[in-house]
Amino acid sequence: SLVCSPGCGGKLFVSTSLDDRSMLWDTRDEKPALAMGETGHANCASWSTSNQISLGRDDGVIEIRDVRQPHCHLISFPAHSLCVTRAAFNHSRPSILASVGEDGRLHVQSLSEKSTPLLHLDMHTDFARGLAWASETSILTCGLDGKLLQSEV
């Protein structure tokens, strides 16, 4: 997975890879790559409108990190019973993160209220792979079951 920072004009981004490394890249630096330390096996990353990124892992856990201190995670929480395949911050409300996973579920979490998910739905009968915020309160998901579904938060 590779995602750019929304505010750095393509000069700052995060990558995850099969070798269990998550990297912070800044093409303005002489040594652009910085390993983010222990992240488990992160499959996907997303960037909020602030300095926060999410890393979705094989074990269904999502970690939130601040790119100014990429070795430390701020929050982690179990979102799925299987691998997280995609996550996206709500650009209107950056403290809201949605994710989908191989368990076919949609999970929406408020990062300011860590205990209870805002939404946790069985959406797809096969792996869920795609996710996009259609509006401040509407989420689109797609999966290997061939369905494109819309949910309201």
Side-chain angles (χ1 to χ4, degrees):
S1 157
L2 179 69
V3 290
C4 278
S5 166
C8 286
K11 297 188 183 337
L12 189 63
F13 52 99
V14 170
S15 66
T16 61
S17 64
L18 294 175
D19 65 0
D20 290 346
R21 287 204 257 172
S22 298
M23 306 288 285
L24 178 62
W25 300 81
D26 188 341
T27 59
R28 300 167 293 192
D29 288 346
E30 189 173 306
K31 292 185 177 183
L34 173 67
M36 295 176 62
E38 180 60 41
T39 60
H41 181 71
N43 290 310
C44 63
S46 65
W47 209 297
S48 79
T49 54
S50 67
N51 292 311
Q52 290 183 343
I53 57 167
S54 73
L55 298 170
R57 300 189 329 210
D58 262 355
D59 61 2
V61 171
I62 295 178
E63 284 186 20
I64 307 299
R65 295 192 180 213
D66 187 316
V67 295
R68 296 168 295 187
Q69 297 177 329
H71 293 358
C72 304
H73 72 272
L74 302 174
I75 304 167
S76 63
F77 55 91
H80 297 274
S81 60
L82 297 172
C83 174
V84 180
T85 55
R86 185 84 64 230
F89 285 93
N90 183 319
H91 292 296
S92 300
R93 296 167 44 201
S95 65
I96 306 292
L97 179 72
S99 63
V100 292
E102 289 184 355
D103 58 6
R105 293 184 179 142
L106 167 65
H107 183 96
V108 182
Q109 185 78 37
S110 169
L111 301 179
S112 56
E113 299 169 21
K114 302 167 205 96
S115 59
T116 307
L118 298 175
L119 195 63
H120 193 79
L121 299 174
D122 288 323
M123 297 290 292
H124 295 275
T125 56
D126 203 341
F127 297 167
R129 292 287 189 193
L131 168 72
W133 285 94
S135 70
E136 186 176 324
T137 60
S138 180
I139 302 170
L140 297 172
T141 63
C142 64
L144 297 182
D145 58 4
K147 296 178 184 173
L148 174 66
L149 302 172
Q150 184 172 355
S151 299
E152 295 295 321
V153 179

